[in-house]
Amino acid sequence: MSMVLAVFFLLSATAAAGSIALFLPFRFMGGLAIGGVSVLSPMYISEIAPPASRGRLAVPFQLAIVIGILVAFFYDYLLIGTEPNNWRWMFLAGAAPALVFPGMLFFVSESPRWLVKTGKMADAERVIDIVNPGEDIKKTMDEIRQSMHTEMVFKGINLFRKPYLRPELIGNAEGMFNQFTGINVIMYYTTNISGRQDFPPERLLHKQ
């Protein structure tokens, strides 16, 4: 799945810069890739990291997202006003990290939980030994099996009934109100808000 998302990233960065006709469908593909990675990455970290280090390892993931956004804004800011079709270079810049991403995947171990789920017990024990040297492998394997059993039990639970309804509604409301704050407007139009008026957003819709 991660390799598929990496291909989506690359296609989104290159094809979206080709023409307006390709812009929307391939940017949609890029959105799918971003959403997928945003879910898979913290999930993978939580599955492969030792319990005592999960919090510390989750922070670099969030930090990488913020740094990536900052670098993208700075690069786009430098391109403002350089040429009529500079928006193409803005999107093509995303091809560089999109090429690095699939290359780095070859150095990432499979999740022990996924290996156990697919019946590859020996491979799961090997990965646990690599990422958690000195850990009690048998105990960790038992914990993985127990968590999978708990997951199967919870599949039959209706989250929209008591006692799960209230936390479910709170979690959903938090996600919605986070968007209602308007932070996305600041993120999407940062370069325009900065005072540079030589690249109004409507120009993008008229350039091929």
Side-chain angles (χ1 to χ4, degrees):
M1 177 58 72
S2 296
M3 192 61 70
V4 173
L5 295 177
V7 173
F8 279 11
F9 272 125
L10 184 60
L11 290 176
S12 175
T14 53
S19 68
I20 293 298
L22 294 175
F23 178 82
L24 290 179
F26 280 95
R27 286 306 291 167
F28 177 77
M29 182 181 292
L32 293 178
I34 293 172
V37 170
S38 298
V39 172
L40 289 177
S41 295
M43 182 184 299
Y44 175 79
I45 292 172
S46 66
E47 290 185 358
I48 203 168
S53 305
R54 284 174 187 162
R56 291 196 297 270
L57 292 177
V59 170
F61 167 71
Q62 298 295 334
L63 185 61
I65 293 176
V66 176
I67 292 176
I69 294 173
L70 178 62
V71 171
F73 278 150
F74 183 70
Y75 177 82
D76 293 349
Y77 180 80
L78 294 178
L79 286 175
I80 291 178
T82 55
E83 61 166 311
N85 290 323
N86 54 7
W87 65 272
R88 300 180 190 274
W89 293 103
M90 294 179 182
F91 286 104
L92 281 173
L99 287 172
V100 174
F101 179 41
M104 297 297 291
L105 289 177
F106 288 103
F107 300 96
V108 176
S109 302
E110 295 92 344
S111 163
R113 180 183 174 85
W114 180 83
L115 291 170
V116 170
K117 195 171 185 178
T118 54
K120 301 177 181 178
M121 304 301 177
D123 290 337
E125 293 177 356
R126 176 181 55 81
V127 172
I128 293 172
D129 186 50
I130 293 174
V131 299
N132 300 320
E135 189 77 10
D136 188 336
I137 297 178
K138 183 179 182 302
K139 179 182 177 182
T140 303
M141 292 286 286
D142 290 340
E143 290 175 350
I144 292 174
R145 294 190 187 95
Q146 180 61 39
S147 67
M148 292 175 62
H149 174 72
T150 304
E151 180 182 280
M152 293 298 295
V153 172
F154 271 88
K155 280 186 177 180
I157 293 177
N158 189 338
L159 295 179
F160 294 97
R161 292 182 179 177
K162 292 182 178 181
Y164 308 103
L165 178 60
R166 184 176 180 181
E168 181 77 14
L169 293 177
I170 292 175
N172 290 332
E174 181 182 7
M176 290 189 295
F177 284 112
N178 183 47
Q179 300 301 315
F180 290 160
T181 61
I183 186 61
N184 284 340
V185 175
I186 305 298
M187 292 178 62
Y188 295 154
Y189 297 104
T190 299
T191 49
N192 291 84
I193 295 172
S194 66
R196 297 288 295 273
Q197 300 299 323
D198 51 350
F199 187 71
E202 59 269 16
R203 278 182 54 185
L204 179 60
L205 302 177
H206 300 289
K207 292 295 181 181
Q208 297 291 332

